[in-house]
Amino acid sequence: MSLDEEYPKTFRNMSARLRAVLEVVPGLPERERQDLATALNAMADKARDLDDIVQRLLNEPHTPAEIGQLLIAFELTTEQIRGHSDTIDGKLYEIGDRLKAIKPARRVTS
């Protein structure tokens, strides 16, 4: 298997926990909360993969072909992040501003 075929590598299932965190957002529909949680989880996994690729480029010996494979893996992974960014598309700014305006009654734990 070529190095670029090893990715995506990270598959953590944090969507349920992220949905629970987003329950503090007043008026956020369940479907939107679910879509945001899925996108956040996928983007975090891809970010971890990007870091893994860069660490491999910097800390492992590679042939020129392997370097090319890792660069392709990096590009493919960023494309996947871009796809999920359509789901986010400014919503986190809006949600963040709404939540900053709320006086905390308690800390939210996931």
Side-chain angles (χ1 to χ4, degrees), residues 1-7 53-54 56-58 60-77:
M1 172 185 330
S2 68
L3 297 178
D4 55 321
E5 293 173 342
E6 292 181 22
Y7 297 91
I53 293 165
V54 169
R56 291 180 77 179
L57 283 166
L58 296 175
E60 297 176 359
H62 295 289
T63 66
E66 289 172 335
I67 291 170
Q69 292 167 1
L70 288 169
L71 292 173
I72 289 169
F74 194 95
E75 180 73 23
L76 290 170
T77 304

Side-chain angles (χ1 to χ4, degrees), residues 14-15 20 33-36 42 45 50 70 74 78 80 83-84:
M14 301 181 297
S15 293
R33 182 170 41 250
Q34 183 176 350
D35 290 346
L36 287 170
D45 282 351
L50 289 176
L70 288 169
F74 194 95
T78 59
Q80 292 172 8
H84 289 292

Side-chain angles (χ1 to χ4, degrees), residues 12-36:
R12 298 171 294 174
N13 188 5
M14 301 181 297
S15 293
R17 292 178 64 200
L18 288 164
R19 264 194 322 273
V21 168
L22 293 171
E23 286 179 3
V24 303
V25 182
L28 186 64
E30 173 60 30
R31 181 63 193 176
E32 189 171 348
R33 182 170 41 250
Q34 183 176 350
D35 290 346
L36 287 170

